[in-house]
Amino acid sequence: MKAACVLLCLALGASANIFKRQRQNLIEQPQEYINQYQRPLYRPREQTYQEYIRAQKQVQSSSEETREIQDAYQGLNTPLYSAAVMSVQDAIPRGYPPSKREWTMPINVPELGIWRGQLPVDSPVAQEIQSIVTQAKQAMKPMTAEDKTSFQSLAAQKDDENAHLNATELLKKYQYPVEEHTVKTDDGYFLTLFRIPAKKQQIRDVTAKPVVFLMHGLLGSADDWLLMGPGKSLAYLLADAGYDVWLGNARGNKYSRRHVTKHAALDDFWQFSTDEVALHDLPAMIDYALKTSGQEKLHYVGHAFGSTAFFALAAARPAYNEKIISMHALSPMVYMSHVRSPLIRMSAPTGSFWARLQRLIGRGAFEPTKELIASAGGDMLATEIGNNIVSSNVNFVMSGVIDNAEQVPVVGAHLPAGGSSRTIKQYGQAVASGEFMKYDFGPAINSQVYGTVVPSKYNMSKVTAPVTLYSAADDWLSHPTDVARLQSELPHSETYEVPEPHFSHMDFQFSTKAPEIVYKKLIESMNRPY
Ligand SMILES: *[C@@H]1O[C@H](CO)[C@@H](O)[C@H](O)[C@H]1NC(C)=O
Ligand SMILES: *[C@@H]1O[C@H](CO)[C@@H](O)[C@H](O)[C@H]1NC(C)=O
């Protein structure tokens, strides 16, 4: 009895010690600490319209002007109102560092909270929405009556079995060998990795195979590399080409929703941006894949967010460049100044929508409301395409439609696979700042977390791995101009622009043309000596 107690006490003591040591080493940004600062900051010190008017009144005291201001308040669309909004907007400079006052005082006139339908069409805010949505529409393939019919008929189509299968089931269905692995990150998240060790004829002799690691896009999962089936989706093509294929899943997607202490039902679990995926998830997954396969280096393929995270990792921890044979970025998302996605553009803190969007985007899991989806392009897609899967799904609304109408129900069933609000906000911040930097908590917390008022930039000249950037002229998220800037900063990089008009962001994964115009080139480039 006594001996048992001694043993128990020893065990408890030891585990408490290990736990303490882990906490010290691993948690870079203590959550309670951030929350403590974040809550008051995110309840922005708003200047109400009344306060704004009152301030104006002190300047403009003539009674006529006061009446005009009151009219403006009611009618929302008089010239004076426009001037008022313009003058507030003009006070907010584009670019960093924003002064404290500008950053913490979002414009908050009541009508900015009113969206679709209720906004007078010629009010400046309605016009700003209109102009954002119009630019996105211009990058879309114009729909013929025939295209529209094919999209609309999809709604009535019989359910495709693939809509309901997970990655393992999809691979088994097509007789590819598959393994499921679980990796724990150094900050306690459990991530699922899928592995296709070989194509079906070559199950033996997997050890010598080169490893390729595939990382999904924004709100995506490993499934996205499999949905079009063998002979089409990239994961099967790579397995057929003799690679040991690993499919990653970022924290927060449907396959990676466990943590040692945090529960995914609570906001606490979701306090991460691309930074945490880049600095904790990717190293854990890459190291695990290398260790398990017995290799020292791997090829990396990232779609969109999967590329953002890679560039952040390779810049912040340059030693990881040594583990990369070659990196292939489909629709690279680093600089976001020219982004055409309405949702991401509206998420920029410099836009008129910020105060409203902060609330709609939330602060935990990203679970967009119908109102947000409709306002950020869903209404436009409903008119243009007339398929309700497309116009109500955040991935289509954020990234544009795909050219493969048949694939829409399956894609719509697998996406969105989950992600955090911070990830979306961080892209919005990149639109406003024109820079690729860590998540911006606002000056007060930045100072505590990073030691500087402005978050640090990721230095692209530290990304020494050989990189190929695959871009498309009409991609809503990855604009060729932004890609050109990225390429100019990367020491070993080349760009391949897809020779196809209106090739959309998600066409990189779901277009019937992708195997021919993207994957063929990618696999050839991977096969060459590095
Ligand atoms: C995929 O589905 C199969 C069958 O339902 C299940 O056994 C497996 O655990 C699932 N895999 C994951 C990673 O969810
Ligand atoms: C970025 O990295 C390069 C190469 O290491 C270095 O020469 C340069 O000074 C860095 N730039 C900044 C702004 O830190």
Side-chain angles (χ1 to χ4, degrees):
M1 188 63 202
K2 212 172 174 184
C5 178
V6 167
L7 274 178
L8 187 65
C9 291
L10 276 175
L12 281 175
S15 61
N17 258 336
I18 289 169
F19 187 62
K20 211 191 282 164
R21 202 169 318 126
Q22 275 188 347
R23 275 188 74 87
Q24 277 167 3
N25 289 346
L26 306 179
I27 299 180
E28 291 180 355
Q29 302 168 5
Q31 201 53 53
E32 310 79 71
Y33 182 70
I34 288 173
N35 287 346
Q36 168 197 339
Y37 284 93
Q38 188 171 6
R39 290 220 171 86
L41 199 83
Y42 270 76
R43 192 164 356 98
R45 280 187 275 115
E46 290 162 349
Q47 185 187 33
T48 64
Y49 190 76
Q50 281 85 349
E51 281 165 357
Y52 172 71
I53 295 297
R54 222 173 289 134
Q56 291 288 305
K57 273 185 190 167
Q58 288 171 359
V59 185
Q60 311 164 328
S61 55
S62 97
S63 63
E64 199 187 335
E65 275 168 341
T66 308
R67 202 168 53 245
E68 269 188 51
I69 291 169
Q70 282 163 349
D71 288 346
Y73 180 59
Q74 271 141 26
L76 307 181
N77 55 358
T78 68
L80 185 66
Y81 165 74
S82 312
V85 170
M86 294 313 242
S87 72
V88 177
Q89 281 176 344
D90 285 345
I92 297 185
R94 313 251 148 190
Y96 275 72
S99 81
K100 197 167 171 169
R101 182 190 154 270
E102 286 139 8
W103 198 245
T104 53
M105 209 166 64
I107 318 159
N108 185 39
V109 285
E111 61 277 18
L112 296 187
I114 306 167
W115 293 61
R116 45 195 308 228
Q118 301 164 38
L119 213 54
V121 283
D122 50 357
S123 75
V125 177
Q127 283 173 6
E128 194 177 331
I129 296 182
Q130 195 55 42
S131 114
I132 288 176
V133 168
T134 304
Q135 279 179 38
K137 195 163 97 181
Q138 279 162 359
M140 271 170 56
K141 186 176 159 210
M143 288 274 152
T144 63
E146 206 181 315
D147 294 335
K148 272 197 176 186
T149 315
S150 84
F151 270 102
Q152 279 156 9
S153 68
L154 287 169
Q157 210 182 44
K158 196 169 116 282
D159 220 5
D160 188 324
E161 184 194 25
N162 287 4
H164 310 291
L165 300 182
N166 68 26
T168 301
E169 293 167 319
L170 282 166
L171 284 159
K172 283 193 172 152
K173 172 174 168 179
Y174 297 115
Q175 285 127 41
Y176 280 75
V178 52
E179 298 170 6
E180 284 180 11
H181 297 261
T182 304
V183 187
K184 190 173 133 193
T185 67
D186 58 5
D187 57 351
Y189 286 82
F190 292 101
L191 314 175
T192 301
L193 278 169
F194 296 96
R195 181 191 194 188
I196 317 169
K199 87 174 180 190
K200 51 189 168 188
Q201 296 88 348
Q202 313 168 323
I203 295 176
R204 268 163 266 133
D205 186 33
V206 292
T207 46
K209 283 174 174 298
V211 173
V212 57
F213 178 79
L214 271 52
M215 192 61 191
H216 60 78
L218 196 52
L219 308 177
S221 79
D223 299 352
D224 308 343
W225 304 104
L226 301 165
L227 295 182
M228 287 198 292
K232 298 191 196 110
S233 275
L234 183 60
Y236 307 99
L237 295 174
L238 287 167
D240 294 345
Y243 287 89
D244 178 4
V245 184
W246 291 76
L247 310 175
N249 288 291
R251 60 184 62 190
N253 91 9
K254 60 185 175 185
Y255 295 123
S256 299
R257 243 173 236 176
R258 281 192 306 128
H259 184 271
V260 285
T261 56
K262 297 174 186 180
H263 195 286
L266 301 176
D267 280 355
D268 189 30
F269 178 93
W270 299 94
Q271 302 311 306
F272 58 84
S273 64
T274 309
D275 304 336
E276 283 77 17
V277 174
L279 304 178
H280 301 279
D281 294 0
L282 287 189
M285 293 191 286
I286 289 173
D287 291 341
Y288 182 90
L290 290 177
K291 190 168 156 235
T292 311
S293 60
Q295 302 277 329
E296 284 176 2
K297 290 178 164 218
L298 50 70
H299 296 278
Y300 185 106
V301 181
H303 180 237
F305 169 71
S307 76
T308 316
F310 175 89
F311 290 118
L313 170 66
R317 294 172 71 178
Y320 272 85
N321 287 295
E322 302 306 315
K323 303 188 184 194
I324 305 299
I325 307 167
S326 70
M327 147 62 170
H328 302 264
L330 306 178
S331 189
M333 281 169 71
V334 165
Y335 296 117
M336 308 288 292
S337 308
H338 297 83
V339 69
R340 280 167 289 199
S341 161
L343 175 63
I344 301 297
R345 270 186 68 182
M346 289 180 184
S347 309
T350 41
S352 316
F353 317 96
W354 189 54
R356 176 70 174 162
L357 268 167
Q358 287 280 69
R359 261 165 266 146
L360 284 177
I361 291 177
R363 53 183 303 280
F366 180 56
E367 284 157 356
T369 60
K370 281 189 178 153
E371 184 196 6
L372 177 59
I373 288 178
S375 308
D379 282 350
M380 181 269 277
L381 289 177
T383 315
E384 290 299 301
I385 312 226
N387 174 290
N388 63 4
I389 300 178
V390 172
S391 58
S392 65
N393 182 297
V394 65
N395 277 82
F396 286 116
V397 168
M398 178 173 65
S399 323
V401 71
I402 55 178
D403 72 3
N404 189 353
E406 209 184 314
Q407 199 67 38
V408 165
V410 174
V411 172
H414 286 263
L415 288 169
S420 74
S421 304
R422 267 193 201 166
T423 314
I424 303 288
K425 290 181 190 172
Q426 195 174 11
Y427 282 120
Q429 293 169 355
V431 177
S433 70
E435 297 296 342
F436 182 33
M437 51 171 81
K438 289 195 173 172
Y439 184 78
D440 193 340
F441 294 96
I445 306 174
N446 288 344
S447 311
Q448 308 292 341
V449 174
Y450 307 122
T452 46
V453 173
V454 177
S456 52
K457 287 182 199 169
Y458 289 112
N459 184 344
M460 288 300 101
S461 53
K462 293 207 188 299
V463 183
T464 51
V467 173
T468 312
L469 306 166
Y470 301 76
S471 68
D474 291 325
D475 187 327
W476 278 9
L477 287 151
S478 171
H479 192 284
T481 309
D482 293 331
V483 174
R485 174 173 168 204
L486 171 63
Q487 199 217 322
S488 73
E489 293 177 13
L490 291 168
H492 299 115
S493 64
E494 55 189 65
T495 302
Y496 168 71
E497 192 169 314
V498 175
E500 176 73 25
H502 307 302
F503 198 77
S504 78
H505 185 73
M506 288 203 288
D507 280 337
F508 278 98
Q509 282 181 309
F510 306 122
S511 164
T512 44
K513 293 175 188 140
E516 182 57 32
I517 61 178
V518 184
Y519 304 156
K520 207 171 142 196
K521 156 104 190 153
L522 188 152
I523 294 171
E524 273 168 21
S525 140
M526 216 180 260
N527 284 342
R528 78 176 188 228
Y530 279 94

